[in-house]
Amino acid sequence: MSHAPSFRISRTLATTGHPACRDCCATERIGRPPWRFAAALALALSATGCATERPPASPARYGLAQAVIGREIAEEAITLVNAMLPPDFSMRLRPTWPASGYFPTLYFENEGGSFAMSYVTDRGFDNGLRFVDADEIPVYLIDASHLGRIETAFVPNGERCVFVNAGSLDRLFEDFFMMGKHVLGQHNSFDKALVLAVVLLHELGHLHFEDDGSYGPPAAFALEEIDRPSRAIANKEVRADRFASEMVNAAWASQQMKSPLDGPYGRAGIASNIFRAIATGANSHDFTVDPQGVFDGVRKPYVFRQSGYSHLNLYLRLLVLAQQINPSEERLNELRWLELALKGEHR
Ligand SMILES: [Zn+2]
């Protein structure tokens, strides 16, 4: 690998300073890179001043611009997540840019009652998913490419929205071996959307548990923890991942391979494809990097130590997610080996 992979899927802007306008005074809490992003963000924020009323979250409040690139893949990812979530789960992602028309239409309506989800099947090209009284989570595609390397997606502290860094998407797809020089197969935009869907599910986990900042102490890998329900997990990042795998497992258990809509929108079908995307990342990494020394006889557990910020290594996380969704004895053995090997490196 030419770079240290990391699961750059969550950054929460921590807040300091003025308590009455904590969001607009947001600054980076962590003392690690990207410094350029932190400095630029601080500058942008100081220029905007602090509003007395709290406007809706938008990238402009953080001195960031919305991006055009990545809209279609992000729209597809949002549609897949919304179609896969349990029918009684009120939190739903809402794009903040015009629909492309390539995917089912997402209808959001407010009737002042309880949440309901239904399929719209009588409007031809405008068929789609209707969400009544949803807990809407706006998703913003932001143009942060000039600000240096930041996470692929994050929930700004105290907000109920998700920012996706459009400039980081290609890197994300490379990390999942969906594009770039290490790609092992053909992958289309649907596969990329599945990868982004995993990221969005993780962010929904942060929102579901009302995580106030996703930067805690680095998580240590604990094999005995991976079968715990998300609500019983303390580490925010491990918990958000577990939330994602629980949503995938619930969708798989629905056995709904097809939906009333045209296209791959059955809940179990989406779950199956998301597992495939996760397994592609994990298996391609194993094949390319050969951590267990299958090809060269040299074991390299340290490749799972390369991590970013407070996150566990991407490929360790993918192995865990794959095991949580579709357990296998072979993967469990790899995880057992890794747990021992990584502990050994701490000594
Ligand atoms: Zn996270």
Side-chain angles (χ1 to χ4, degrees):
M1 295 292 289
S2 58
H3 58 268
S6 63
F7 209 6
R8 296 185 305 281
I9 71 175
S10 181
R11 148 140 317 183
T12 299
L13 299 179
T15 57
T16 60
H18 204 293
C21 51
R22 34 184 266 153
D23 295 314
C24 60
C25 291
T27 182
E28 294 281 302
R29 177 191 288 152
I30 58 167
R32 295 201 198 180
W35 298 107
R36 285 170 55 214
F37 172 70
L41 184 63
L43 273 176
L45 295 169
S46 64
T48 58
C50 294
T52 50
E53 284 190 19
R54 189 178 149 127
S58 82
R61 286 183 63 209
Y62 293 91
L64 300 168
Q66 287 191 251
V68 175
I69 60 164
R71 281 183 175 178
E72 282 179 26
I73 282 177
E75 182 187 347
E76 190 169 13
I78 288 169
T79 305
L80 290 168
V81 169
N82 281 343
M84 195 200 78
L85 290 170
D88 60 350
F89 187 78
S90 63
M91 212 185 284
R92 300 289 162 159
L93 299 168
R94 183 166 192 172
T96 53
W97 56 92
S100 68
Y102 298 147
F103 311 106
T105 304
L106 301 176
Y107 295 92
F108 288 87
E109 294 165 11
N110 290 304
E111 294 180 358
S114 54
F115 172 72
M117 168 190 170
S118 59
Y119 294 99
V120 176
T121 57
D122 58 356
R123 297 192 190 176
F125 288 124
D126 293 325
N127 284 348
L129 294 157
R130 177 188 286 119
F131 304 109
V132 177
D133 297 320
D135 176 7
E136 295 176 21
I137 307 297
V139 176
Y140 296 94
L141 264 175
I142 58 169
D143 178 4
S145 53
H146 60 295
L147 293 174
R149 178 175 162 170
I150 66 168
E151 307 288 336
T152 298
F154 58 95
V155 176
N157 199 29
E159 306 284 9
R160 287 184 68 75
C161 65
V162 177
F163 284 7
V164 174
N165 178 9
S168 74
L169 290 177
D170 282 354
R171 182 69 175 273
L172 173 73
F173 304 140
E174 283 179 23
D175 285 350
F176 273 74
F177 294 84
M178 297 269 176
M179 59 184 285
K181 61 182 177 182
H182 294 294
V183 68
L184 296 177
Q186 292 291 320
H187 298 285
N188 54 22
S189 62
F190 177 67
D191 286 352
K192 294 174 184 172
L194 293 166
V195 168
L196 186 55
V198 177
V199 172
L200 294 173
L201 285 168
H202 174 96
E203 298 306 325
L204 277 178
H206 282 312
L207 287 160
H208 177 70
F209 288 105
E210 301 183 334
D211 291 344
D212 195 22
S214 63
Y215 279 82
F221 171 53
L223 185 57
E224 49 96 20
E225 203 176 44
I226 73 170
D227 289 329
R228 281 188 202 161
S230 56
R231 64 177 184 281
I233 296 174
N235 182 280
K236 292 172 191 168
E237 295 309 315
V238 178
R239 181 170 63 192
D241 275 357
R242 182 57 170 147
F243 173 86
S245 69
E246 285 171 343
M247 291 296 109
V248 173
N249 286 344
W252 180 248
S254 76
Q255 300 185 1
Q256 185 203 32
M257 293 305 290
K258 292 184 183 298
S259 85
L261 304 171
D262 288 337
Y265 299 107
R267 291 185 60 212
I270 295 167
S272 167
N273 278 307
I274 283 182
F275 172 74
R276 181 173 56 80
I278 291 169
T280 296
N283 296 343
S284 301
H285 177 257
D286 272 7
F287 185 78
T288 307
V289 181
D290 189 26
Q292 298 193 86
V294 174
F295 303 122
D296 63 3
V298 181
R299 294 191 154 195
K300 314 165 198 67
Y302 56 85
V303 300
F304 288 96
R305 291 292 310 160
Q306 297 168 346
S307 60
Y309 315 121
S310 61
H311 291 103
L312 278 170
N313 174 273
L314 167 66
Y315 302 107
L316 182 52
R317 293 172 73 183
L318 293 185
L319 278 177
V320 170
L321 283 168
Q323 185 66 8
Q324 288 170 336
I325 296 169
N326 188 11
S328 80
E329 196 61 31
E330 185 183 359
R331 200 180 299 107
L332 183 61
N333 285 335
E334 183 172 4
L335 286 165
R336 282 193 187 115
W337 165 70
L338 261 175
E339 187 181 40
L340 284 174
L342 293 176
K343 272 181 188 160
E345 285 198 359
H346 284 296
R347 282 201 293 270

